[in-house]
Amino acid sequence: MNVGGSLSELTPENVGVVVVTYHPTGDVESRLQQMGRQGGALVVVDNASGAAMQERLAAMCARHGWELMANSVNLGVGAALNQGVRRLAGKGQPWILLFDQDSEPAPEMSRHMIETLHRHPERDRVAVVGANFRERATGRRHRILQCHPWLPGFFRKRTPGDEDMPDVSMVITSGSLVNTVDFGSLGGFDEGFFIDYVDTDFCLRCRAAGWRIAVSADAR
């Protein structure tokens, strides 16, 4: 795979954004606006939140120029993510940023991820860039799973610091920037995983195929 050309031209404006919703609560429109500012095109994939909510989401999308893919049944997280990524990849978006409905990205998050890609020593082998985020409930920074450097076959969890992590074992789906070329070659997310392990499975398949998974220290 040659992503050099894509990376040289990559800006937040040509990053796609996919958000999966399921009965969202609170000020979902404000959160979607935060997410939408991270890229040039946003697709909301709703997993059967009901007619009233889907009408609300359709109105939001019309106001802001987003696209809504409204499922009549709950297809699960893996299938919904595939729908959104494939829609934007089909429009030529080289990298897609994925979010849960309650994610709150900090300003310039996608730009920091792009900078991480450019700094990466093996940038043409990066399939996913994850974020350095905090849990709202605890205020603690999320720990990232990584192969243990001294015990083969074992893993450890590390809290990201002020420097990028160029090679980790997995990152969670929300706040991850995915290369659409790698996504397509790996067959996307496994739709058999309805909620849990969607991200774990995809990341492990990326690594098994020789791709790198990184974490951007400045992407919060």
Side-chain angles (χ1 to χ4, degrees), residues 28-107:
V28 63
E29 186 166 4
S30 291
R31 294 196 301 273
L32 288 172
Q33 286 179 282
Q34 281 182 268
M35 299 179 217
R37 284 193 286 269
Q38 300 302 320
L42 182 144
V43 171
V44 177
V45 185
D46 184 72
N47 258 337
S49 294
M53 177 53 72
Q54 289 189 342
E55 287 179 9
R56 283 186 58 200
L57 290 170
M60 293 177 203
C61 290
R63 280 194 291 274
H64 299 285
W66 306 328
E67 180 178 359
L68 174 65
M69 301 179 73
N71 293 326
S72 58
V73 296
N74 187 349
L75 301 177
V77 172
L81 288 169
N82 284 341
Q83 285 179 295
V85 171
R86 287 168 180 157
R87 176 64 63 89
L88 289 174
K91 295 181 177 181
Q93 305 284 164
W95 291 81
I96 310 292
L97 190 52
L98 310 177
F99 287 115
D100 293 340
Q101 64 190 16
D102 57 353
S103 301
E104 296 183 14

Side-chain angles (χ1 to χ4, degrees), residues 7-8 16 26-27 31 39 54 63 76 84 90 111-112 133 147 149 155 187 194 202:
L7 281 181
S8 66
D27 191 354
R31 294 196 301 273
Q54 289 189 342
R63 280 194 291 274
R111 187 175 300 281
H112 289 308
F133 66 92
C147 288
F155 298 87
F194 197 79
F202 182 73

